[in-house]
Amino acid sequence: MRIVLVLRLIVLALLVAFIIAPQGFAPLFAPLTRFDAPPIYTQTSILSLTLSHLGIVAVATLAATVIAVGFAILVTRPFGEEFLPLSRAVANIGQTFPPVAVLALAVPVLGFGTGPTLVALFLYGLLPIFENALTALTGLSPAVREAARGSGMTGWQRLVQVELPLAFPVILAGIRLSAVISLSTATIGSTVAARTLGEVIIAGLLSGNTAFVLQGGLVVGALAVLIHDGFVAFESLVTRRTGGAARDFETSVS
Amino acid sequence: MIAIRFLSPVQQRFDKLGVVIAALGLFALYAQPFLASRANRIVPGEPLMIWQAPGAGGWPMMAALTIAFGVLLFRTAPIVRLGTASAALLGLAIAVGLGASSVLSPGDSFARISPGSGFWLMGFALALAATDGLARLRLGPVARLGVLVAVIVAVVAILASGIWDDLAAMREYQSRSAAFWRELNTHLFLAFGAVGAAIVVGVPVGIVCYSLPKVRGAVLGVLNIVQTIPSIALFGLLIAPMAWIGANIPGASALGIAGIGVAPAFVALFAYSLLPMVSNTVVGLEGVPRDASEAARGMGMTGAQRMAEILLPLAFPVILTGIRIVLVQNIGLAVIAGLIGGGGLGIFVFQGIAQTAMPLVLLGAIPAVAMAFTAAIILDAGVELSRKGIA
């Protein structure tokens, strides 16, 4: 376990160093270029592309979280019950939609640039979060629901104090899935002129410069691994805490 | 009290989802353009309302669609909802084709007529209603496959009838039909071929990981990292090694291995497919009840016999779920191959994006989406049937 932690710290250190001072890594990438092509992408700074990439993913994932969790809460209340079968079906079918298709179809509505990428990532990111939130909210044990009802909690109190805290770790796993997919999909956004790290990769593909492709891919890959691990660590922390909370709740009821 | 008693039957008569669908559908019908007409491929479109396209059926068609949305507004049996929505969808599909033909002046080969936002929104609303009806019917796997076949037959019949021939996406198809079928073939080869290779390699690797827990962490860790590499980067990174193999290993170029073309895309899709295959094999094998495995041991079966006759058959539904995940994912990812010269339907998507020619994007994207849907429905039904077979 300790080795894994050390490896992660090394990856993080290398990533930060590369983003801040990519020219320092030029000798490493030089063997991958031909005909004296530049080994490091310099048209736009890697730092600004990384920030823009992370920004797009963060905004899309945050918006997707708010809408997806809100909608999952709605369809699991008595008021929204009629929407439940359809929501399940749509969450299931929607995930078969290729992300590139979502992106390509967003362009005519929104034009080129960051807009269609943001919308495509948002739409695609909704589904894993919604599916997980739905699973978590409908999968709570009836005993917990009854206990909350029996202790005289109102619908709102049950939702905020019991259902959401217990569902939180599963919802987090959905957010993680969505964020990691978005990180990778955002690179395709550069085919429609979004400012993401995909720009570096596509510049490499167009000019036959493997060094560009590799550095763009490595930065996105490292970001994805670190964000994935960060979420996993946070999830296990939360699970431990809600696990404790759920036990407290049981003892207080009995 | 009186007010509540008065309200509740009214509330029960309306379907909440139906209200949303009817509002969206009627807005699309009366306030959004049904078609978009352009003088040539790339200029912006002129909106045409449904009553401005004589072939779309005029007021009888509008009345029929209005009635359909009206029916969906009320609480009815799921089969009624499904029937109403399907009939309206069919009418819409015919109206858009005939409407496009009617506004095109004869012999004008430059003008392009595309479905407008009104058509798409109505189609979306009706598809939601149909999906809702289907979901509430709770059909079994065989019945779902029957519905799939019916939809495919309807689409093929409309395509064969030539009703859609004057729509812009079909015009794009007519001017490159040979290329379309060639790229469709490549797309299917990439998606299915990579899945096939992943099954051949992934299942044995999964068995090894199941038997040797020490190997498992390392193998799954490496495959996990492969998954995080963005697809366009992985496709691009494989160009150089593939070119080297094609140039330096005897016989490789005869197999079609080269830096440009199908090879890097195939290897990338294979690499992405491995993790779901291996991990689902491991999870499936671990899910086999200990009793079953112990009973087989008691009967004197060898390790290999137990694996082949007990463990793998019992793990099959989970392995099939892995195949479903991978196949649907590959059909979508194979679109990216178009960006690196690997062929497939992505060629049309990226050409269309570059030329801002939406119908061309649709020509690539719609078949890819349709294939992913079809694969998901068939394999989901297969998973369910195989679970029943075991239980």
Side-chain angles (χ1 to χ4, degrees), chain A residues 79 82-83 85-86 89-90 92-93 96-98 100 104-105 108 112 184 187-188 191-192 201 205 213-214 217 220-221 225, chain B residues 15-17 75 128 131-132 135-136 228 230 232-233 236-237 324 328 332 336 339-340 353 356 358 361-362 369 372-373 376:
Chain A
F79 169 79
E82 282 175 29
F83 295 91
L86 176 68
V90 168
N92 189 20
I93 298 171
T96 63
F97 240 84
V100 203
L105 299 178
F112 283 84
S184 177
T187 53
I188 307 169
T191 55
V192 296
I201 300 169
L205 288 177
V213 179
L214 185 64
V220 179
V225 170
Chain B
D15 184 279
K16 281 175 195 147
L17 178 68
R75 205 176 278 240
L128 279 184
T131 311
D132 180 49
R136 290 188 197 198
T228 67
I232 46 174
L237 289 175
R324 183 253 198 229
V328 170
I336 312 274
L339 203 60
I340 58 151
I353 290 178
T356 60
M358 247 329 107
V361 173
L362 291 181
V369 170
F373 271 19

Side-chain angles (χ1 to χ4, degrees), chain B residues 49-369:
Chain B
M49 303 305 285
I50 191 166
W51 53 87
Q52 291 170 313
W59 69 263
M61 189 50 161
M62 292 173 66
L65 285 171
T66 308
I67 291 170
F69 286 119
V71 170
L72 292 173
L73 196 57
F74 294 97
R75 205 176 278 240
T76 46
I79 189 79
V80 176
R81 306 182 71 73
L82 177 62
T84 309
S86 309
L89 272 173
L90 189 64
L92 203 60
I94 294 171
V96 77
L98 296 181
S101 306
S102 70
V103 292
L104 214 54
S105 29
D108 185 351
S109 60
F110 293 107
R112 290 287 185 269
I113 313 292
S114 313
S117 52
F119 169 82
W120 293 117
L121 285 176
M122 271 189 278
F124 175 68
L126 291 169
L128 279 184
T131 311
D132 180 49
L134 273 176
R136 290 188 197 198
L137 276 177
R138 297 170 184 275
L139 295 178
V142 178
R144 288 206 304 271
L145 290 178
V147 173
L148 176 68
V149 170
V151 171
I152 292 175
V153 166
V155 171
V156 170
I158 291 177
L159 281 171
S161 71
I163 290 174
W164 282 346
D165 280 359
D166 286 323
L167 286 171
M170 289 306 288
R171 284 286 173 91
E172 298 286 352
Y173 164 72
Q174 287 144 17
S175 61
R176 66 195 86 214
S177 60
F180 177 81
W181 291 107
R182 190 179 62 235
E183 299 307 344
L184 185 69
N185 253 333
T186 309
H187 203 97
L188 289 172
F189 168 73
L190 280 174
F192 282 88
V195 172
I199 295 170
V200 170
V201 176
V203 173
V205 172
I207 293 174
V208 170
C209 288
Y210 167 74
S211 321
L212 304 171
K214 277 185 186 166
V215 184
R216 187 184 310 168
V219 170
L220 291 181
V222 170
L223 292 179
N224 243 324
I225 288 175
V226 171
Q227 296 274 311
T228 67
I229 305 173
S231 47
I232 46 174
L234 187 56
F235 281 55
L237 289 175
L238 287 164
I239 292 177
M242 287 295 140
W244 187 87
I245 291 174
N248 292 293
I249 295 191
S253 61
L255 288 172
I257 296 177
I260 297 296
V262 175
F266 187 93
V267 176
L269 291 179
F270 168 72
Y272 283 127
S273 309
L274 271 182
L275 176 71
M277 279 322 305
V278 174
S279 65
N280 273 50
T281 306
V282 174
V283 170
L285 290 172
E286 280 182 339
V288 174
R290 191 166 283 270
D291 304 354
S293 163
E294 288 301 315
R297 197 196 299 268
M299 286 164 65
M301 284 182 166
T302 65
Q305 278 177 323
R306 266 186 296 146
M307 184 55 75
E309 289 170 30
I310 307 291
L311 289 170
L312 278 179
L314 286 177
F316 181 69
V318 184
I319 297 177
L320 194 60
T321 311
I323 296 176
R324 183 253 198 229
I325 295 170
V326 165
L327 187 59
V328 170
Q329 173 185 296
N330 276 0
I331 293 173
L333 275 179
V335 173
I336 312 274
L339 203 60
I340 58 151
L345 293 167
I347 296 228
F348 305 124
V349 173
F350 289 111
Q351 265 178 17
I353 290 178
Q355 302 171 1
T356 60
M358 247 329 107
L360 189 52
V361 173
L362 291 181
L363 181 65
I366 290 179
V369 170

Side-chain angles (χ1 to χ4, degrees), chain A residues 26-228:
Chain A
L28 276 177
F29 287 104
L32 293 168
T33 62
R34 288 176 301 169
F35 316 121
D36 284 330
I40 300 290
Y41 186 74
T42 48
Q43 248 121 325
T44 321
S45 90
I46 303 271
L47 178 64
S48 78
L49 286 178
T50 308
L51 291 179
S52 164
H53 191 115
L54 287 175
I56 291 173
V57 171
V59 169
T61 309
L62 207 66
T65 305
V66 171
I67 302 293
V69 174
F71 207 65
I73 291 174
L74 183 75
V75 299
T76 49
R77 298 309 103 187
F79 169 79
E81 253 171 9
E82 282 175 29
F83 295 91
L84 191 58
L86 176 68
S87 326
R88 271 188 214 280
V90 168
N92 189 20
I93 298 171
Q95 286 182 75
T96 63
F97 240 84
V100 203
V102 181
L103 189 66
L105 299 178
V107 173
V109 188
L110 297 151
F112 283 84
T114 302
T117 309
L118 206 55
V119 169
L121 293 187
F122 163 71
L123 287 177
Y124 207 69
L126 280 174
L127 298 169
I129 305 177
F130 179 70
E131 195 173 29
N132 274 35
L134 206 57
T135 312
L137 288 172
T138 52
L140 292 181
S141 83
V144 171
R145 282 173 188 279
E146 281 309 306
R149 201 189 299 271
S151 65
M153 286 177 149
T154 65
W156 177 253
Q157 283 174 328
R158 287 201 300 271
L159 174 67
V160 174
Q161 296 176 13
V162 180
E163 296 182 36
L164 279 181
L166 287 176
F168 190 53
V170 184
I171 296 177
L172 258 186
I175 300 175
R176 161 170 55 97
L177 210 60
S178 171
V180 171
I181 295 174
S182 288
L183 267 173
S184 177
T185 310
T187 53
I188 307 169
S190 290
T191 55
V192 296
R195 270 171 51 90
T196 73
L197 288 160
E199 200 179 306
V200 183
I201 300 169
I202 288 168
L205 288 177
L206 293 178
S207 62
N209 188 337
T210 312
F212 287 179
V213 179
L214 185 64
Q215 59 200 248
L218 282 179
V219 172
V220 179
L223 285 172
V225 170
L226 291 172
I227 288 175
H228 175 274

